[in-house]
Amino acid sequence: MGAPYRIGVLPGDGIGPEVVPVAVEVASVAARAAGLAVEWVELPAGLAAYEQFGETLPPQTVETLRGCQGWVLGPVEHHRYDPRRPGMRNPSGFLRKHFDLYANVRPARTFPGVPTRYLHVDLVVVRENTEGFYPDRNVLEGDAELRVTQDVVVSLRVVTRQACVRIAEYAFALAAQRAAQRGRPGQVTAVHKANVLRRGDGLFLECCREVAARFPEVAFDDVHVDAASYFLVRDPARYDVMVTTNLFGDILSDQAAGLVGSLGLAPSLNAGDRYAMAQAVHGSAPDIAGRGVANPTAELLSVAMLFEWLGRRHGDAAATDAAGLVEDAVRATLARGVHTPDLGGTHTTAQFSRALQEALRAATMG
Ligand code: ATP
């Protein structure tokens, strides 16, 4: 084993302290089995940190993350963060922007044994993460939503060539990688509304076309976001990699999660060139927090995506193997019918965690 990767652990709010420790525990078993050395560094963040330190993201946490290769962020209870209050930064938006985690990668896949409306969905939404309509990442100071009179609000959107090109490059590289793994041609679909947002989405589409010309082995098409949302519900198997701007990607990826069973199964990675942050797509699920029934799969598969990213970035087969072991354990456990209530089952988070660890042990003891 080489020097351990330092991976930060920020449990977040709501069900975060229930699902993040399970993800870390199960991922640790997989890492050990694959010969991957990981040092997990638990750090305060979120509403609990605010209670304790008066800051949702203490400076020490951000500083420590700088020395990590990646981290896991639990869900954030967005509506309880008031950016006007000192010390109330939203960790999710802040960390994406601060560490330039420009690609939010959100796969949606069907799992054997999980009842869904569709079979064989296997797509990824690649969402631009640093600009667009999100007011917390658009301006250097202040907020890009302006209430100019009592009854008028102006929301600013930022679209830059640099961000469009690099998100398109990420999507094409991912499609090429998936094509090699699956033994079939890759496809990228750019999702936009360039017929109405002619300049902003026009620039996005122009950049996607330019990048497509550099990846002749990957098929390329584009679709208006409204049509994409229609086709996604009618026939999700038509999509492979969907690349899009921030807001559209946020919406389409939740929709895609709904197609494959539960938000509890939908992982994501926020990736930059230097750091990556694992973060489930779902929110803090306040309706079930504290009851021990949350599904930790999304968080765990997000950690697997982080392992896979580390494997690619550092050319480290052990990290790639650890990711594969996690994936296989999740598949085997779900296929056995070990399901939390969001999937119609009766298993608790703790029971599900034990089943995952048994699956890992069974797989690695040969
Ligand atoms: P937030 O304000 O944090 O975004 P929310 O309730 O608006 O919270 P989610 O937390 O994503 O949004 O929850 C949407 C629904 O999905 C809720 O009914 C929640 O219980 C369910 N859900 C989300 N994540 C999970 C999970 N990991 N396991 C089980 N159910 C989940």
Side-chain angles (χ1 to χ4, degrees):
M1 280 196 203
Y5 293 100
R6 272 169 75 77
I7 299 184
V9 179
L10 291 67
D13 310 324
I15 58 170
E18 296 168 62
V19 294
V20 171
V22 168
V24 169
E25 194 179 356
V26 176
S28 300
V29 176
R32 273 196 298 278
L36 175 73
V38 177
E39 182 193 346
W40 303 94
V41 187
E42 186 147 346
L43 296 165
L47 297 171
Y50 188 76
E51 291 291 308
Q52 208 182 341
F53 305 105
E55 304 230 35
T56 51
L57 206 49
Q60 191 54 41
T61 294
V62 179
E63 208 33 56
T64 308
L65 290 179
R66 198 164 290 288
C68 292
Q69 281 80 34
W71 55 92
V72 189
L73 175 66
V76 171
E77 205 164 345
H78 297 281
H79 67 272
R80 290 186 56 197
Y81 287 71
D82 180 353
R84 288 163 304 187
R85 277 176 49 196
M88 265 254 158
R89 277 196 298 221
N90 183 325
S92 176
F94 177 83
L95 293 172
R96 290 173 184 189
K97 182 79 184 171
H98 187 75
F99 287 101
D100 202 22
L101 308 176
Y102 59 86
N104 186 200
V105 187
R106 295 180 159 191
R109 269 169 307 165
T110 39
F111 287 94
V114 176
T116 55
R117 280 170 208 275
Y118 302 94
L119 298 171
H120 314 305
V121 177
D122 181 11
L123 61 88
V124 188
V125 176
V126 176
R127 164 193 177 199
E128 203 292 319
N129 220 8
T130 56
E131 53 183 37
F133 259 126
Y134 283 68
D136 58 340
R137 20 209 124 139
N138 267 352
V139 288
L140 182 63
E141 270 178 29
D143 189 315
E145 271 204 309
L146 314 169
R147 187 160 183 173
V148 288
T149 74
Q150 188 61 23
D151 302 318
V152 177
V153 172
V154 176
S155 299
L156 299 176
R157 183 168 78 134
V158 174
V159 180
T160 64
R161 184 177 294 278
Q162 187 218 14
C164 293
V165 166
R166 66 182 179 173
I167 199 66
E169 286 172 343
Y170 199 102
F172 276 91
L174 179 63
Q177 182 197 335
R178 283 164 58 87
Q181 285 163 348
R182 288 161 175 73
R184 53 153 177 70
Q187 175 172 327
V188 170
T189 304
V191 183
H192 62 89
K193 191 71 181 167
N195 53 335
V196 175
L197 300 166
R198 285 172 189 266
R199 292 182 185 80
D201 276 24
L203 178 59
F204 169 72
L205 187 55
E206 183 187 314
C207 293
C208 288
R209 288 189 173 132
E210 278 170 24
V211 175
R214 286 193 261 133
F215 287 83
E217 73 281 17
V218 176
F220 174 66
D221 63 356
D222 69 277
V223 61
H224 294 151
V225 65
D226 39 354
S229 144
Y230 171 75
F231 290 131
L232 201 51
V233 172
R234 296 272 305 195
D235 178 22
R238 68 160 61 204
Y239 293 120
D240 178 10
V241 175
M242 305 173 89
V243 63
T244 189
T245 48
N246 201 339
L247 180 60
F248 295 160
D250 198 6
I251 298 166
L252 286 178
S253 55
D254 265 36
Q255 188 184 345
L259 301 175
V260 298
S262 165
L263 267 174
L265 298 177
S268 94
L269 188 73
N270 300 273
D273 291 332
R274 186 141 177 230
Y275 301 100
M277 172 168 86
Q279 184 184 24
V281 169
H282 61 72
S284 60
D287 52 337
I288 57 165
R291 290 177 28 209
V293 294
N295 188 346
T297 304
E299 204 66 64
L300 175 61
L301 290 175
S302 305
V303 179
M305 289 178 78
L306 175 58
F307 282 171
E308 199 272 337
W309 180 88
L310 287 170
R312 248 180 313 125
R313 175 160 155 66
H314 298 278
D316 185 342
T320 312
D321 290 349
L325 286 175
V326 170
E327 292 257 346
D328 292 348
V330 167
R331 273 182 189 281
T333 305
L334 291 173
R336 273 208 306 129
V338 183
H339 292 173
T340 42
D342 57 308
L343 301 178
T346 54
H347 291 86
T348 64
T349 312
Q351 288 168 330
F352 188 68
S353 168
R354 275 196 293 279
L356 286 166
Q357 293 181 56
E358 277 160 26
L360 272 171
R361 269 190 287 275
T364 51
M365 280 161 60

